[in-house]
Amino acid sequence: MALAVHHWTALKGKRRFPARDDISPRDMAPFLRNVVMIRIVDSGRDYEYRIVGDAHVQAQGINFAGHTLSAIEAINPDYGTNTRTAYDYVRATAEPIAMRGWIGRDRPQSAYSYYETAFLPLGQNNIVDHLLVVTNYRPRAGQEFEPAVRLPKN
């Protein structure tokens, strides 16, 4: 996650946040599997998942790419409530935030037990039109998936 935040910071320079056009999947290769790119729809009434890295697919058990948050909320209201709150905050304030936490016994089906997430705004003219979300996951004991971030080789 630190590599992604560093990349975002370098792209924004002296601006509040970088534009969506500044972000390239090729440039995010070392951490692309941990990325979710979200387009803000209708001034924040909804959010569309544009890019969903395979770490998210493994952790969530579903690929959200091409779906809206409202469609996901219809299936899993708890996911939508917490997620929408974070998205709305970053969209409205144009400030990045980070969260981390343990996944408890209430989600025994989850493949991971701990996460760290950065929510990073993207846009132009001080208007946030996309979110770049980067998450590192720690798998549950007995679960296996690849390390969350691959650092570039020296």
Side-chain angles (χ1 to χ4, degrees), residues 18-83:
R20 164 59 183 100
D21 290 343
D22 295 336
I23 302 288
S24 159
R26 174 176 281 151
D27 294 339
M28 296 187 298
F31 53 88
L32 187 59
R33 70 183 313 271
N34 300 84
V35 165
V36 174
M37 178 75 68
I38 301 156
R39 183 175 67 88
I40 296 172
V41 177
D42 201 13
S43 300
R45 287 186 183 84
D46 211 345
Y47 299 88
E48 179 187 18
Y49 292 88
R50 306 293 294 159
I51 298 171
V52 179
D54 66 325
H56 292 281
V57 175
Q58 288 178 348
Q60 300 297 333
I62 187 170
N63 188 344
F64 296 159
H67 298 280
T68 60
L69 180 57
S70 60
I72 295 163
E73 287 171 317
I75 298 166
N76 184 348
D78 290 338
Y79 177 87
T81 300
N82 298 331
T83 302

Side-chain angles (χ1 to χ4, degrees), residues 1-11 27-32 34-35 116 118 120 132 134 136 148-153:
M1 185 170 71
L3 187 61
V5 172
H6 177 75
H7 180 69
W8 177 87
T9 301
L11 289 173
D27 294 339
M28 296 187 298
F31 53 88
L32 187 59
N34 300 84
V35 165
E116 295 178 341
L120 308 168
L132 178 64
V134 184
N136 286 340
V149 174
R150 294 182 191 147
L151 298 175
K153 296 180 180 178

Side-chain angles (χ1 to χ4, degrees), residues 119-136:
F119 299 85
L120 308 168
L122 303 171
Q124 296 181 22
N125 303 319
N126 286 323
I127 297 172
V128 178
D129 56 25
H130 285 77
L131 303 174
L132 178 64
V133 179
V134 184
T135 304
N136 286 340

Side-chain angles (χ1 to χ4, degrees), residues 55-120:
H56 292 281
V57 175
Q58 288 178 348
Q60 300 297 333
I62 187 170
N63 188 344
F64 296 159
H67 298 280
T68 60
L69 180 57
S70 60
I72 295 163
E73 287 171 317
I75 298 166
N76 184 348
D78 290 338
Y79 177 87
T81 300
N82 298 331
T83 302
R84 184 175 292 278
T85 300
Y87 293 175
D88 286 347
Y89 180 85
V90 175
R91 179 189 48 79
T93 65
E95 296 292 331
I97 61 171
M99 295 182 193
R100 64 181 175 187
W102 295 96
I103 305 302
R105 293 182 184 150
D106 59 326
R107 292 201 44 209
Q109 75 283 8
S110 176
Y112 63 96
S113 62
Y114 180 79
Y115 68 93
E116 295 178 341
T117 302
F119 299 85
L120 308 168

